[in-house]
């Protein structure tokens, strides 16, 4: 063992079934070292690639990219300032957190040195220049980027194109591709979390189900681990690749799930520009000049030569200017953005303090004292049977008058409504009345004080499926909060309704066990089918045919398939694809009861029961549901998917050379267990994947249907169900895409095979259980790399 600075790092690592790493050390620095070392062995290219991104070097190593995407990303990250803030982020850490981060970086670099020496880097990047040791400040820049996962990082492509109009007129608007996952990631993501209390479980102890839905490639994957410093911390769960600690998991006292919050982590503000001066904007009675900054990035041109590109980007007093698709930066208006997580220095500490909490009281106290939660809801339960929900994610603090204007704007302004549908809040940046308000008790200026964020403790259950907080438990709706936490008494998604029907039904039975919770979470029942399919079958049989774009289509076979369907998205389910494609003919508003699908509209006093029933056919013109079924028939025919094909024959995950059939579905089905070809959260990784599938003519990608079916890349990730007993935590789970990012590793495949079979395994926490695992492998990690 050699020395890195003043640190000596040593950690003992044991791997159990499916490559789960159990890491034990005597101090925080060594624990970080062991975690970084073990994680990098599974995901080193991903970590190195993310450092390239935050250093604004994508174009240097990978060229301009499609639509100059890499150039825009590099400039966008300079505008975001994550690298510029890295030193301040490091300085803000408590010493023990800083030690863990230092150790984590050293562990990553140790894994790189070993891989270089052994020649075990993946072939596609083995000789890449960008596979290189990670600097500590660069790693802090990456942690800053993680804080922006549900906000600014998704705007990098439009921030990096925000050049001011010149003598020749405005620069072109950003391409739609520049938003990447901005709308989705700023929106809800897709995850489920249930926490059951003492009146719900058979034992009276707390029990938690975590089912985060995340991308199956890139940096937003979870990595499963167990971290121990004897007498200090002992925590098991999922950690986002490249991050210290555990973000979703359990210790001996508390377990918790996370779901992406439905509130607003940033605001977009419209600026009215001064005529003749597009870099000057009105603010009340004032005229304010924007602040320019000229940046440079290095670009690898098509001939392989490196060139320096210079671009001047601009800021208002709110924050950076953005160049929105379709709108751009004109001579009359432009847009600027402000982020609640831009100066969040407490993210790592927040989760590490949660990891070590020894009671529900201690767990709750972390949120008020540290106040570093970035963008997730927390659903927790403890050994005594207390179940708790909180969304302490940082939220813009506006006056009641500004909140009322915002609510009215969403209701009457089509652009504001479209943006809000993607969970983007639009303000009037030229109106001082729309300024964020400073208030004592807030982590940073302009934020809602953490004491006024939504929270609820119950003895039965709390649940969330990415809709706003108000329906955490339908028996006790949460109201009276800012609309920037989420709109109250608004229609939930079908998935939220199904989560409450399933979790609430279990809780009311009072006999919840780990096994029962797993069966319910992976049941794959489709709420939209339960609500509508009988009426749809009857309508199809009565009509027998429908005309779609001039073609007459026979509906009788479709009716027979839907009538026989088990209304699930299991591997053997026949009819899921047809129903999925039919529901794709309806908008999100339709599926929430605001359009032409349901007969009985949404009732905020009956939010789980409504909307319901199939809307009557119109007196004149085509029947929308028959047209939707007809379009589904045509789409499946173009895709080469038979309407009576079992789901497992046409829905799969590609894990290296292995095609593995997978169950699960999408939002249109109203299913708890999401698994789909597309999702809300975006990955920024350059990792290679399988060749794109041929698109289906006339489909816009709502379901991800392609020729051949559905190749899934998004959904269930680290799944767990854990009960906190007097004899320690008892739980089962799986990591649906496997522990390793290397397509040649058995741990790239085994998790998906387990998911396909719904074969959860014990989550080994007790030392005796770890030692008894038949696949146990052990090693000692020590520092040999010196930076």
């Amino acid at each position: 063992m050699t020395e890195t600075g003043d640190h000596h790092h040593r950690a003992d690592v044991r791997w159990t079934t499916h490559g789960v790493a159990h890491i034990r050390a005597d101090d925080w620095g060594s624990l970080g070292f062991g975690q970084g070392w073990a994680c990098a062995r599974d995901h080193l290219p991903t970590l190195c690639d993310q450092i390239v991104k935050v250093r604004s070097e994508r174009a240097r190593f990978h060229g301009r990219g499609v639509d100059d995407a890499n150039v825009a990303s590099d400039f966008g990250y300079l505008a975001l300032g994550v690298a510029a803030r890295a030193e301040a982020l490091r300085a803000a850490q408590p010493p023990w957190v800083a030690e863990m981060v230092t150790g984590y970086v050293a562990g990553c670099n140790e894994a790189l040195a070993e891989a270089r020496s052994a020649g075990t880097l993946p072939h596609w990047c083995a000789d890449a220049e960008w596979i290189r040791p990670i600097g500590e400040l660069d790693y802090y820049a990456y942690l800053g980027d993680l804080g922006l996962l549900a906000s600014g990082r998704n705007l990098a492509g439009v921030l990096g194109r925000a050049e001011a109009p010149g003598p020749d007129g405005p620069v072109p608007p950003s391409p739609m591709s520049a938003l990447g996952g901005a709308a989705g990631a700023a929106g809800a993501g897709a995850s489920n979390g249930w926490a059951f209390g003492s009146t719900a479980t058979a034992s009276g102890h707390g029990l938690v189900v975590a089912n985060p839905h995340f991308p199956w490639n890139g940096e937003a994957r979870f990595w499963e681990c167990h971290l121990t410093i004897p007498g200090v911390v002992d925590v098991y769960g999922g950690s986002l690749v490249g991050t210290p600690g555990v973000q979703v998991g359990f210790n001996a006292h508390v377990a918790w799930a996370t779901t992406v919050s439905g509130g607003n982590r940033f605001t977009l503000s419209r600026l009215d520009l001064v005529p003749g001066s597009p870099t000057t904007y009105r603010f009340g009675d004032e005229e304010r000049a924007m602040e320019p900054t000229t940046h440079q990035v290095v670009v690898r041109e098509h001939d392989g030569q490196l060139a320096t590109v210079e671009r001047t980007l601009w800021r208002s007093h709110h924050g950076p200017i953005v160049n929105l698709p379709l709108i751009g930066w004109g001579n009359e208006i432009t847009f600027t953005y402000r982020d609640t997580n831009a100066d969040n220095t407490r993210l790592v500490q927040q989760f590490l303090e949660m990891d070590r909490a020894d009671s529900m009281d201690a767990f709750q106290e972390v949120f008020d004292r540290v106040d570093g939660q970035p963008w997730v809801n927390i659903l927790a339960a403890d050994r005594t049977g207390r179940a708790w929900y909180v969304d302490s994610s940082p939220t813009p603090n506006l006056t009641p008058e500004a909140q009322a204007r915002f609510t009215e704007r969403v209701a009457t302004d089509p652009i504001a409504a479209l943006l809000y549908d993607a969970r983007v809040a639009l303000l009037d940046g030229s109106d001082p009345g729309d300024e964020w308000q400073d208030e004592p008790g807030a982590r940073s200026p302009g934020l809602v004080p953490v004491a006024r964020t939504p929270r609820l403790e119950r003895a039965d259950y709390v649940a969330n499926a990415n809709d706003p907080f108000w329906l955490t438990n339908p028996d006790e709706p949460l109201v009276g909060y800012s609309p920037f936490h989420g709109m109250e008494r608004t229609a939930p998604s079908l998935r939220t309704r199904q989560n409450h029907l399933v979790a609430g039904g279990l809780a009311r039975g009072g006999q919840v066990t780990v096994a029962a919770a797993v069966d319910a979470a992976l049941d794959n029942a489709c709420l939209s089918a339960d609500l509508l399919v009988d009426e749809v079958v009857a309508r199809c049989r009565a009509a027998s045919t429908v005309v779609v774009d001039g073609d007459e289509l026979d509906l009788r076979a479709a009716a027979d398939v839907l009538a026989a369907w088990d209304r699930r998205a299991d591997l053997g389910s026949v009819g899921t694809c047809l129903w999925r494609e039919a529901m794709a003919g309806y908008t999100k508003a339709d599926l929430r009861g605001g359009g032409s699908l349901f007969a009985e509209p949404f009732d905020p006093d009956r939010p789980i029961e409504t909307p319901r029933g199939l809307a009557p056919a119109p007196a004149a013109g085509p029947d929308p549901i028959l047209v939707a079924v007809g379009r589904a028939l045509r789409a499946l025919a173009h895709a080469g998917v038979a309407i009576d094909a079992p789901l497992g024959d046409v829905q799969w995950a590609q894990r290296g050379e292995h095609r593995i059939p997978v169950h699960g579905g999408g939002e249109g089905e109203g299913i708890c267990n999401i698994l789909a070809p597309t999702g809300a959260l975006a990955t920024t990784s350059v990792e290679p994947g399988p060749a794109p599938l041929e698109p289906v003519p006339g489909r816009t990608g709502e379901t991800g249907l392609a020729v051949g079916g559905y190749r899934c890349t998004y959904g269930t990730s680290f799944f767990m169900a854990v009960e906190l007993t007097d004899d320690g935590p008892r739980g089962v789970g799986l990591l649906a895409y496997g522990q390793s990012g290397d397509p040649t590793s058995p741990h790239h495949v085994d998790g998906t095979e387990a998911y396909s079979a719904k074969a959860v395994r014990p989550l080994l926490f007790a030392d005796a259980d770890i030692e008894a695992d038949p696949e146990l492998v052990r090693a000692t990690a020590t520092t040999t790399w010196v930076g």
Side-chain angles (χ1 to χ4, degrees):
M1 179 175 66
T2 58
E3 189 174 322
T4 302
D6 297 324
H7 302 274
H8 299 272
H9 297 132
R10 176 191 174 94
D12 294 320
V13 184
R14 294 175 290 180
W15 290 273
T16 53
T17 298
H18 290 180
V20 177
H22 304 258
I23 301 152
R24 180 185 294 264
D26 292 332
D27 57 78
W28 288 104
S30 292
L31 186 67
F33 177 83
Q35 187 182 17
W37 177 76
C39 183
R41 285 162 58 100
D42 288 324
H43 294 287
L44 184 62
T46 299
L47 296 173
C48 291
D49 168 61
Q50 292 305 297
I51 299 303
V52 169
K53 181 188 72 176
V54 298
R55 284 175 57 92
S56 293
E57 292 181 332
R58 276 276 169 81
R60 178 189 188 108
F61 291 109
H62 306 297
R64 288 184 170 271
V66 178
D67 292 331
D68 264 10
N70 290 337
V71 177
S73 172
D74 288 347
F75 280 116
Y77 267 89
L78 290 170
L80 285 170
V82 293
R85 291 192 297 272
E87 192 163 358
L89 178 58
R90 178 169 65 178
Q93 303 310 305
W96 63 277
V97 175
E99 290 170 12
M100 186 166 191
V101 172
T102 295
Y104 197 101
V105 174
C108 292
N109 289 327
E110 179 68 24
L112 171 59
E114 292 177 3
R116 284 269 191 229
S117 175
T120 55
L121 285 168
H123 68 87
W124 66 272
C125 62
D127 298 321
E129 295 177 76
W130 52 272
I131 300 290
R132 58 192 174 177
I134 296 170
E136 190 169 294
L137 284 179
D138 292 335
Y139 180 73
Y140 272 103
Y142 175 59
L143 293 178
D145 180 50
L146 178 67
L148 306 181
L149 184 71
S151 55
R153 65 174 294 186
N154 303 285
L155 301 174
V158 294
L159 290 165
R161 291 180 168 91
E163 295 182 274
D168 298 327
V171 297
S174 296
M176 289 300 298
S177 60
L179 282 174
S191 300
N192 309 318
W194 307 340
F196 295 102
S198 57
T199 67
T201 63
S203 67
H205 297 299
L207 189 156
V208 169
V209 175
N211 186 11
H213 303 145
F214 271 65
W216 278 34
N217 62 314
E219 74 281 11
R221 283 172 291 188
F222 284 101
W223 182 76
E224 193 172 347
C225 59
H226 179 193
L227 308 176
T228 304
I229 301 174
V232 178
V233 65
D234 192 12
V235 64
Y236 187 115
S239 170
L240 285 175
V241 165
T243 59
V246 161
Q247 287 87 53
V248 52
F250 61 93
N251 58 34
H253 311 282
V254 186
W256 64 96
T258 63
T259 65
V260 176
S261 167
N264 298 109
R265 306 286 79 81
F266 70 96
T267 55
L268 196 66
S269 296
R270 168 181 162 148
L271 299 177
D272 295 325
L273 303 179
V274 173
S277 180
T279 59
T280 306
Y281 62 98
R282 299 191 186 282
F283 186 67
D285 296 330
E286 303 175 30
E287 294 181 0
R288 293 194 176 187
M290 297 179 192
E291 178 184 341
T293 303
T294 299
H295 301 284
Q296 293 181 337
V297 301
V298 176
V299 177
R300 186 175 301 276
E301 300 291 8
H302 296 299
D303 60 3
Q305 298 298 307
L306 297 180
T308 298
V309 175
E310 187 173 277
R311 187 169 292 178
T312 298
L313 304 176
W314 299 79
R315 295 178 62 89
S316 72
H317 76 282
H318 302 288
I321 304 298
V322 299
N323 177 351
L324 293 177
L326 306 178
I327 299 174
W329 181 350
N331 290 311
E332 297 180 355
I333 64 167
T334 193
F335 294 84
T336 182
Y337 118 99
R338 184 174 177 182
D339 202 307
T340 66
N341 273 308
D343 59 352
N344 184 356
T345 61
R346 305 175 187 176
L347 183 153
V348 176
Q349 181 187 359
Q350 171 74 35
F351 284 106
L352 290 177
E353 297 264 26
M354 291 162 57
D355 292 347
R356 60 195 293 203
D358 61 4
S359 67
M360 180 61 81
D361 285 342
F363 189 80
Q364 293 175 346
E365 186 267 345
V366 169
F367 291 80
D368 292 326
R369 174 173 53 85
V370 179
D371 191 12
Q373 192 62 253
W375 34 260
V376 291
N377 304 290
I378 298 292
L379 302 106
D382 75 345
R383 186 165 52 86
T384 69
R386 296 167 65 185
W388 187 60
Y389 163 87
V390 65
D391 182 5
S392 65
S393 307
T395 302
N397 189 28
L398 279 87
T399 66
E401 295 77 14
Q403 293 176 30
R405 284 195 301 273
F406 170 71
T407 302
E408 177 68 16
R409 189 179 299 127
V410 170
T412 60
D413 182 335
I415 294 178
L418 183 65
L419 288 169
Y420 190 75
D421 191 51
R423 306 282 174 94
V424 177
L426 180 64
L427 302 179
D428 185 346
S430 288
D431 182 354
D434 272 10
E435 283 283 272
W436 294 14
Q437 302 296 303
D438 298 346
E439 187 173 338
R443 188 204 72 212
S444 300
L447 302 185
V448 174
V450 68
R452 291 201 286 108
T453 55
R455 56 188 72 192
L456 178 67
E457 184 169 330
R458 300 275 301 185
D460 53 356
Y461 87 103
V462 291
N464 184 270
N466 304 117
D467 274 319
F469 58 89
W470 83 278
L471 279 179
T472 295
N473 185 299
D475 291 336
E476 191 175 352
L478 294 171
V479 294
Y481 294 90
S482 163
F484 295 92
H485 292 297
M487 297 288 189
E488 298 168 0
R489 293 177 62 81
T490 53
S493 69
L494 286 165
R495 180 164 57 86
T496 288
R497 294 171 66 188
Q498 182 72 337
N499 269 266
H500 281 296
L501 288 168
V502 174
L506 286 173
R508 284 187 291 275
Q511 295 295 313
V512 182
T513 63
V514 167
V518 170
D519 289 345
L522 298 179
D523 180 65
N524 290 324
C526 300
L527 176 60
S528 60
D530 290 338
L531 293 172
L532 298 169
V533 76
D534 288 338
E535 293 176 87
V536 173
V537 168
R539 196 85 60 88
C540 288
R541 284 177 170 162
S544 74
T545 64
V546 66
V547 176
V548 176
D549 298 333
D551 295 332
E552 187 174 25
L553 302 173
D554 192 325
L555 297 174
R556 290 172 296 182
D560 291 342
V561 167
L562 292 177
W565 177 36
D566 63 4
R567 304 182 188 186
R568 281 172 165 72
D570 282 328
L571 295 181
S573 297
V574 173
T576 309
C577 301
L578 178 58
W579 186 256
R580 177 180 298 167
E581 295 305 317
M583 290 298 99
Y586 290 90
T587 66
K588 181 193 295 186
D590 291 329
L591 295 172
R592 291 175 182 248
S596 61
L597 179 59
F598 289 102
E600 183 179 349
F602 168 68
D603 180 351
D605 293 321
R606 298 168 56 232
I608 307 305
E609 294 79 14
T610 60
R612 60 192 303 163
L614 183 63
D623 185 344
I625 189 63
L626 299 183
V627 172
V629 174
R631 293 194 185 281
L633 290 171
R634 291 210 313 183
L636 292 171
H638 282 303
V641 173
I643 64 172
D644 60 353
L647 182 63
D649 289 357
V650 294
Q651 179 168 283
W652 74 97
Q654 195 70 40
R655 308 305 291 158
E657 298 179 351
H658 302 270
R659 173 176 163 143
I660 301 171
V662 290
H663 51 89
E667 297 289 349
E669 288 105 295
I671 189 172
C672 291
N673 179 36
I674 295 291
L675 202 68
T678 59
L681 292 172
T683 178
T684 61
S685 175
V686 299
E687 295 175 39
L693 299 176
E694 182 182 345
V696 172
R699 302 304 272 185
T700 56
E702 301 95 335
T703 66
L705 176 67
V707 172
Y710 308 92
R711 184 172 66 198
C712 294
T713 60
Y714 185 95
T716 291
S717 55
F718 174 62
F719 174 83
M720 75 170 197
V722 175
E723 185 173 20
L724 289 310
T725 79
D726 290 335
D727 297 321
R730 295 286 182 267
V732 297
L734 51 79
L735 187 61
Y737 36 65
Q739 183 81 328
S740 174
D742 181 357
T744 66
S745 169
H747 300 314
H748 190 72
V749 180
D750 52 13
T752 309
E753 292 173 334
Y755 170 82
S756 178
K758 299 185 184 180
V760 293
R761 53 175 160 75
L763 304 180
L764 304 178
F765 188 79
D767 196 66
D769 294 332
I770 296 168
E771 288 294 320
D773 186 82
E775 298 184 27
L776 181 68
V777 176
R778 64 181 79 239
T780 298
T782 58
T783 309
T784 59
W785 183 86
V786 180

